[in-house]
């Protein structure tokens, strides 16, 4: 597996945990296994790995759940954001792509755990009923989310409440 010299950073929703790496593996993928589905509370986990020796926790540190004898999963204990999967003795940490500051830069090119893939998953891209936040006529609700947003911005900060 090829290692790319690429700077990535990311963290949890509340900003209590932040990370940074100067290298990532060329292994961006989505995993449909049931354990990943439960760990991220979604249909799949989107992951990309950084070598353990290149990954730095720059603010706080994640809590860890030993999800099996072979791996552990990291998350923020304050806001619950899933941050990683790390296999035993793998030498790398698979970061959740959604926790990256720039998730659009990492495109998955493989699907794993397909035995647990939700049967209707392949039809999701055919859904054409789309709307931006608040476009359904509930602009007041959308404005209230923006006004009370406690989400950490998608970049490093010197401090955060």
């Amino acid at each position: 597996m090829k290692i790319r010299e690429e700077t990535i950073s990311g963290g949890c929703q509340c900003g209590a945990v932040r990370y940074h790496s100067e290298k990532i593996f060329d292994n961006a993928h989505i995993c449909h296994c049931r354990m990943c589905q439960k760990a991220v509370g979604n249909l799949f986990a989107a992951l990309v790995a950084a070598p353990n020796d290149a990954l730095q926790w720059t603010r706080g540190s994640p809590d860890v759940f030993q999800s099996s004898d072979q791996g552990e999963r990291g998350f923020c204990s304050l806001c619950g954001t899933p941050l990683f999967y790390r296999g035993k003795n793998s030498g790398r940490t698979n970061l959740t792509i959604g926790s990256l500051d720039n998730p659009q830069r990492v495109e998955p090119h493989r699907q794993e755990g397909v035995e647990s893939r939700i049967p209707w998953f392949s039809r999701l891209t055919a859904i054409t009923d789309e709307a931006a936040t608040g476009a359904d006529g509930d602009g007041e609700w959308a404005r209230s989310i923006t006004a009370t947003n406690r989400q950490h911005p998608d970049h490093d900060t010197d401090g955060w409440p």
Side-chain angles (χ1 to χ4, degrees), residues 29 64 105 114 128 130 133 147 160:
H29 64 284
V64 175
R105 289 179 33 203
V114 296
T128 59
E130 299 177 336
T133 304
W160 190 252

Side-chain angles (χ1 to χ4, degrees), residues 111-142:
Q111 295 186 58
E112 297 180 3
V114 296
E115 71 283 354
S116 298
R117 184 171 46 207
I118 303 299
W120 45 262
F121 172 79
S122 63
R123 296 190 300 275
L124 289 178
T125 57
I127 296 173
T128 59
D129 186 7
E130 299 177 336
T133 304
D136 61 358
D138 198 352
E140 184 62 35
W141 175 81

Side-chain angles (χ1 to χ4, degrees), residues 29 38 57 63-64 136 155:
H29 64 284
K38 300 255 322 181
W57 298 100
D63 277 4
V64 175
D136 61 358
H155 56 81

Side-chain angles (χ1 to χ4, degrees), residues 51-99:
N52 288 342
D53 60 1
L55 180 62
Q56 299 173 348
W57 298 100
T58 58
R59 182 182 302 139
S61 59
D63 277 4
V64 175
F65 172 64
Q66 187 79 36
S67 58
S68 74
D69 289 346
Q70 298 303 312
E72 61 187 12
R73 296 173 188 275
F75 61 96
C76 174
S77 64
L78 294 177
C79 66
T81 301
L83 295 168
F84 71 80
Y85 167 79
R86 184 171 31 231
K88 186 177 183 179
N89 304 317
S90 69
R92 65 182 182 260
T93 298
N94 287 279
L95 301 162
T96 55
I97 293 174
S99 72

